[in-house]
Amino acid sequence: MAFSLSKLFKNKPKEVPSIPEIIEKIDFKGGTKYAKNETNIVYADVEELGGFPYLKTVIIGDTSVNIKRVGCTATFKFNNESIVLNSDNTTIESNKIKNTNVFFTEIDFELNEQEATKIKDQKVVTLEYGFKNKVTPFTPF
């Protein structure tokens, strides 16, 4: 009887789920699904702190950033105008979700009452995040 140890220990390639498959399985309760692109989803909510509105966003997907001192921007494009918001923090860091190739990035933005009302009430055509010299577009749901 012939027996081969090499057949026992042959490495079978592990199937790694794609980023969209992983994102589909994530049940994030910390925000409202707002926009997406091929490999990311954005959760966004206008919240209030000390009587002042701010925009709380979370990006889950393959977007991985590590920005110091300059922060980022979010541009809400409407049919005839746009609003550009600056991040509340100048340091933006993504955290890797354990055992995946997916990242979690929290970013808050300063805004005033007028901007908050516009974002809530008007139809946003495109949302764009500006990270240093890279622009990442998203399509609202």
Short mmCIF file of all heavy atoms in Angstrom, two decimals, residues 42-72:
data_model
loop_
_atom_site.label_atom_id
_atom_site.label_comp_id
_atom_site.label_asym_id
_atom_site.label_seq_id
_atom_site.Cartn_x
_atom_site.Cartn_y
_atom_site.Cartn_z
N VAL A 42 -20.55 54.37 2.57
CA VAL A 42 -20.47 55.50 3.50
C VAL A 42 -21.74 55.53 4.34
O VAL A 42 -22.85 55.46 3.81
CB VAL A 42 -20.34 56.84 2.75
CG1 VAL A 42 -20.41 58.02 3.72
CG2 VAL A 42 -19.06 56.89 1.95
N TYR A 43 -21.55 55.64 5.64
CA TYR A 43 -22.66 55.87 6.57
C TYR A 43 -22.53 57.32 7.00
O TYR A 43 -21.44 57.78 7.33
CB TYR A 43 -22.54 54.95 7.78
CG TYR A 43 -22.76 53.50 7.46
CD1 TYR A 43 -21.72 52.71 6.97
CD2 TYR A 43 -24.01 52.91 7.64
CE1 TYR A 43 -21.92 51.38 6.67
CE2 TYR A 43 -24.21 51.57 7.34
CZ TYR A 43 -23.16 50.81 6.86
OH TYR A 43 -23.36 49.49 6.56
N ALA A 44 -23.64 58.06 6.99
CA ALA A 44 -23.57 59.48 7.34
C ALA A 44 -24.83 59.92 8.08
O ALA A 44 -25.94 59.48 7.74
CB ALA A 44 -23.39 60.32 6.09
N ASP A 45 -24.64 60.78 9.06
CA ASP A 45 -25.75 61.37 9.81
C ASP A 45 -25.37 62.77 10.26
O ASP A 45 -24.23 63.00 10.66
CB ASP A 45 -26.07 60.53 11.06
CG ASP A 45 -26.70 59.20 10.73
OD1 ASP A 45 -27.80 59.20 10.15
OD2 ASP A 45 -26.08 58.16 11.03
N VAL A 46 -26.33 63.68 10.18
CA VAL A 46 -26.15 65.01 10.75
C VAL A 46 -26.55 64.90 12.21
O VAL A 46 -27.66 64.49 12.53
CB VAL A 46 -27.01 66.07 10.01
CG1 VAL A 46 -26.89 67.41 10.71
CG2 VAL A 46 -26.58 66.18 8.55
N GLU A 47 -25.61 65.23 13.10
CA GLU A 47 -25.86 65.15 14.53
C GLU A 47 -25.62 66.51 15.15
O GLU A 47 -25.19 67.44 14.47
CB GLU A 47 -24.96 64.09 15.14
CG GLU A 47 -25.12 62.75 14.46
CD GLU A 47 -24.91 61.57 15.37
OE1 GLU A 47 -24.41 61.76 16.49
OE2 GLU A 47 -25.25 60.47 14.94
N GLU A 48 -25.90 66.61 16.44
CA GLU A 48 -25.74 67.88 17.13
C GLU A 48 -24.93 67.67 18.39
O GLU A 48 -25.12 66.70 19.11
CB GLU A 48 -27.13 68.44 17.47
CG GLU A 48 -27.11 69.92 17.76
CD GLU A 48 -28.52 70.48 17.87
OE1 GLU A 48 -29.22 70.53 16.86
OE2 GLU A 48 -28.88 70.86 19.00
N LEU A 49 -24.00 68.60 18.63
CA LEU A 49 -23.19 68.55 19.83
C LEU A 49 -23.10 69.96 20.40
O LEU A 49 -22.64 70.86 19.71
CB LEU A 49 -21.79 68.00 19.51
CG LEU A 49 -20.83 67.84 20.67
CD1 LEU A 49 -21.35 66.78 21.65
CD2 LEU A 49 -19.45 67.45 20.19
N GLY A 50 -23.58 70.14 21.59
CA GLY A 50 -23.56 71.46 22.22
C GLY A 50 -24.36 72.49 21.45
O GLY A 50 -24.01 73.67 21.46
N GLY A 51 -25.42 72.06 20.77
CA GLY A 51 -26.25 72.98 20.01
C GLY A 51 -25.74 73.28 18.61
O GLY A 51 -26.35 74.05 17.88
N PHE A 52 -24.61 72.69 18.23
CA PHE A 52 -24.05 72.93 16.90
C PHE A 52 -24.12 71.65 16.08
O PHE A 52 -23.77 70.57 16.56
CB PHE A 52 -22.59 73.39 17.02
CG PHE A 52 -22.44 74.70 17.72
CD1 PHE A 52 -22.08 74.74 19.05
CD2 PHE A 52 -22.68 75.90 17.04
CE1 PHE A 52 -21.94 75.95 19.72
CE2 PHE A 52 -22.53 77.11 17.69
CZ PHE A 52 -22.18 77.14 19.03
N PRO A 53 -24.51 71.75 14.80
CA PRO A 53 -24.57 70.54 13.98
C PRO A 53 -23.18 70.14 13.48
O PRO A 53 -22.29 70.97 13.36
CB PRO A 53 -25.45 70.97 12.79
CG PRO A 53 -25.22 72.43 12.68
CD PRO A 53 -24.99 72.94 14.08
N TYR A 54 -23.03 68.87 13.24
CA TYR A 54 -21.83 68.35 12.59
C TYR A 54 -22.23 67.11 11.81
O TYR A 54 -23.28 66.51 12.05
CB TYR A 54 -20.70 68.06 13.59
CG TYR A 54 -20.92 66.85 14.47
CD1 TYR A 54 -20.35 65.63 14.15
CD2 TYR A 54 -21.68 66.94 15.63
CE1 TYR A 54 -20.53 64.51 14.95
CE2 TYR A 54 -21.87 65.83 16.44
CZ TYR A 54 -21.30 64.63 16.10
OH TYR A 54 -21.50 63.53 16.89
N LEU A 55 -21.41 66.74 10.85
CA LEU A 55 -21.68 65.57 10.02
C LEU A 55 -20.77 64.44 10.47
O LEU A 55 -19.54 64.57 10.44
CB LEU A 55 -21.44 65.89 8.54
CG LEU A 55 -21.72 64.74 7.57
CD1 LEU A 55 -23.22 64.43 7.52
CD2 LEU A 55 -21.21 65.09 6.19
N LYS A 56 -21.37 63.35 10.90
CA LYS A 56 -20.63 62.17 11.34
C LYS A 56 -20.65 61.17 10.18
O LYS A 56 -21.72 60.78 9.73
CB LYS A 56 -21.30 61.57 12.56
CG LYS A 56 -20.66 60.32 13.07
CD LYS A 56 -21.42 59.79 14.27
CE LYS A 56 -20.78 58.49 14.71
NZ LYS A 56 -21.46 57.93 15.88
N THR A 57 -19.46 60.77 9.69
CA THR A 57 -19.40 59.80 8.59
C THR A 57 -18.47 58.65 8.94
O THR A 57 -17.53 58.82 9.73
CB THR A 57 -18.93 60.44 7.26
OG1 THR A 57 -17.56 60.80 7.37
CG2 THR A 57 -19.75 61.65 6.89
N VAL A 58 -18.75 57.51 8.34
CA VAL A 58 -17.91 56.33 8.47
C VAL A 58 -17.80 55.72 7.08
O VAL A 58 -18.80 55.52 6.40
CB VAL A 58 -18.52 55.30 9.45
CG1 VAL A 58 -17.71 54.02 9.45
CG2 VAL A 58 -18.61 55.88 10.84
N ILE A 59 -16.57 55.45 6.65
CA ILE A 59 -16.34 54.76 5.37
C ILE A 59 -15.87 53.35 5.71
O ILE A 59 -14.91 53.17 6.47
CB ILE A 59 -15.26 55.47 4.53
CG1 ILE A 59 -15.64 56.91 4.25
CG2 ILE A 59 -15.03 54.71 3.22
CD1 ILE A 59 -14.53 57.72 3.59
N ILE A 60 -16.54 52.36 5.13
CA ILE A 60 -16.14 50.96 5.32
C ILE A 60 -15.84 50.40 3.94
O ILE A 60 -16.68 50.47 3.04
CB ILE A 60 -17.25 50.15 6.02
CG1 ILE A 60 -17.53 50.72 7.41
CG2 ILE A 60 -16.85 48.67 6.10
CD1 ILE A 60 -18.66 50.05 8.15
N GLY A 61 -14.63 49.88 3.76
CA GLY A 61 -14.26 49.31 2.47
C GLY A 61 -12.75 49.26 2.30
O GLY A 61 -12.01 49.15 3.26
N ASP A 62 -12.30 49.42 1.06
CA ASP A 62 -10.86 49.33 0.79
C ASP A 62 -10.14 50.67 0.93
O ASP A 62 -8.93 50.72 0.73
CB ASP A 62 -10.59 48.71 -0.58
CG ASP A 62 -10.96 49.62 -1.74
OD1 ASP A 62 -11.61 50.67 -1.52
OD2 ASP A 62 -10.62 49.27 -2.88
N THR A 63 -10.85 51.72 1.27
CA THR A 63 -10.22 53.03 1.47
C THR A 63 -9.42 53.00 2.77
O THR A 63 -9.99 52.81 3.84
CB THR A 63 -11.26 54.16 1.51
OG1 THR A 63 -11.91 54.21 0.25
CG2 THR A 63 -10.62 55.50 1.81
N SER A 64 -8.11 53.17 2.65
CA SER A 64 -7.23 53.19 3.80
C SER A 64 -6.42 54.47 3.75
O SER A 64 -5.69 54.71 2.80
CB SER A 64 -6.29 51.98 3.76
OG SER A 64 -5.33 52.09 4.78
N VAL A 65 -6.59 55.31 4.77
CA VAL A 65 -5.87 56.59 4.80
C VAL A 65 -5.16 56.76 6.13
O VAL A 65 -5.58 56.23 7.15
CB VAL A 65 -6.81 57.79 4.55
CG1 VAL A 65 -7.38 57.77 3.15
CG2 VAL A 65 -7.93 57.86 5.55
N ASN A 66 -4.09 57.51 6.08
CA ASN A 66 -3.35 57.91 7.27
C ASN A 66 -2.87 59.33 7.00
O ASN A 66 -1.82 59.52 6.40
CB ASN A 66 -2.20 56.95 7.56
CG ASN A 66 -1.53 57.26 8.87
OD1 ASN A 66 -1.88 58.22 9.56
ND2 ASN A 66 -0.55 56.45 9.23
N ILE A 67 -3.66 60.30 7.41
CA ILE A 67 -3.38 61.70 7.10
C ILE A 67 -3.12 62.45 8.40
O ILE A 67 -3.89 62.35 9.35
CB ILE A 67 -4.58 62.34 6.36
CG1 ILE A 67 -4.82 61.61 5.04
CG2 ILE A 67 -4.34 63.82 6.13
CD1 ILE A 67 -6.09 62.03 4.33
N LYS A 68 -2.05 63.20 8.42
CA LYS A 68 -1.69 64.01 9.59
C LYS A 68 -1.68 65.49 9.20
O LYS A 68 -1.26 65.84 8.11
CB LYS A 68 -0.30 63.62 10.10
CG LYS A 68 -0.14 62.14 10.34
CD LYS A 68 -0.11 61.83 11.80
CE LYS A 68 0.28 60.40 12.03
NZ LYS A 68 -0.75 59.55 12.50
N ARG A 69 -2.17 66.34 10.06
CA ARG A 69 -2.09 67.80 9.97
C ARG A 69 -2.90 68.48 8.87
O ARG A 69 -2.99 69.69 8.86
CB ARG A 69 -0.63 68.26 9.86
CG ARG A 69 0.18 67.98 11.08
CD ARG A 69 1.54 68.64 11.01
NE ARG A 69 2.32 68.28 9.86
CZ ARG A 69 3.16 67.26 9.81
NH1 ARG A 69 3.34 66.49 10.84
NH2 ARG A 69 3.85 67.02 8.72
N VAL A 70 -3.44 67.76 7.91
CA VAL A 70 -4.18 68.46 6.84
C VAL A 70 -5.65 68.07 6.76
O VAL A 70 -6.44 68.77 6.15
CB VAL A 70 -3.52 68.25 5.45
CG1 VAL A 70 -2.17 68.91 5.39
CG2 VAL A 70 -3.44 66.80 5.09
N GLY A 71 -6.04 66.95 7.36
CA GLY A 71 -7.44 66.53 7.32
C GLY A 71 -7.89 66.18 5.92
O GLY A 71 -7.08 65.85 5.05
N CYS A 72 -9.19 66.25 5.70
CA CYS A 72 -9.74 65.95 4.38
C CYS A 72 -10.99 66.80 4.16
O CYS A 72 -11.39 67.55 5.04
CB CYS A 72 -10.06 64.46 4.24
SG CYS A 72 -11.45 63.90 5.20
#
